[in-house]
Amino acid sequence: MNRVDFTRAISTLLFEMEAEGERPILDYVKRPAEEQRRLYDAGLSKCDGKVKVSKHQPGKAADIYFATEDGKRLEDPQKGWEYWHERWERLGGRPMIEWDKGHFEV
């Protein structure tokens, strides 16, 4: 899947989330190697950005969070992480990473 296909798929997912009453926030779609290394050094990623490249680096991953109704805090999706990851897989995405549920990649 190229970046155009990824953009279409993640956009479709976001629109479906909205249509089903969720309040998704898109974050970290594309990330430079230096930022990836910073996250790795902080223990927030298993990809170091050089030897193990994150799907964020070429723009084929996104993190999606969900806002509370007032938009002031984050919460788990109303329909559950598994629900949205199953939908993502039907759109061509990879399965959920259990320790990083907000991560959606191809």
Side-chain angles (χ1 to χ4, degrees), residues 17 26 29 66 75 103:
M17 289 172 169
L26 186 65
V29 176
F66 296 87
E75 64 181 2
H103 178 84

Side-chain angles (χ1 to χ4, degrees), residues 42-66:
L44 300 172
S45 177
K46 294 184 179 179
C47 299
D48 66 3
K50 189 172 183 176
V51 175
K52 188 168 183 184
V53 176
S54 166
K55 291 284 189 170
H56 286 283
Q57 290 175 254
K60 294 183 180 181
D63 292 335
I64 299 175
Y65 304 105
F66 296 87

Side-chain angles (χ1 to χ4, degrees), residues 1-16 29 59 87-88 91-92 106:
M1 183 180 290
N2 62 36
R3 284 194 65 198
V4 172
D5 295 332
F6 173 77
T7 299
R8 283 187 190 117
I10 204 75
S11 296
T12 298
L13 183 67
L14 290 166
F15 282 125
E16 289 181 11
V29 176
R87 182 64 193 124
W88 179 238
L91 291 169
V106 294

Side-chain angles (χ1 to χ4, degrees), residues 40-99:
Y40 175 79
D41 289 344
L44 300 172
S45 177
K46 294 184 179 179
C47 299
D48 66 3
K50 189 172 183 176
V51 175
K52 188 168 183 184
V53 176
S54 166
K55 291 284 189 170
H56 286 283
Q57 290 175 254
K60 294 183 180 181
D63 292 335
I64 299 175
Y65 304 105
F66 296 87
T68 56
E69 192 169 342
D70 64 8
K72 294 181 180 179
R73 295 177 314 284
L74 299 178
E75 64 181 2
D76 288 338
Q78 297 169 25
K79 296 219 171 206
W81 292 107
E82 292 79 10
Y83 178 89
W84 291 114
H85 278 280
E86 286 173 15
R87 182 64 193 124
W88 179 238
E89 286 182 59
R90 288 194 296 266
L91 291 169
R94 295 186 66 189
M96 180 173 71
I97 298 170
E98 192 59 38
W99 62 270

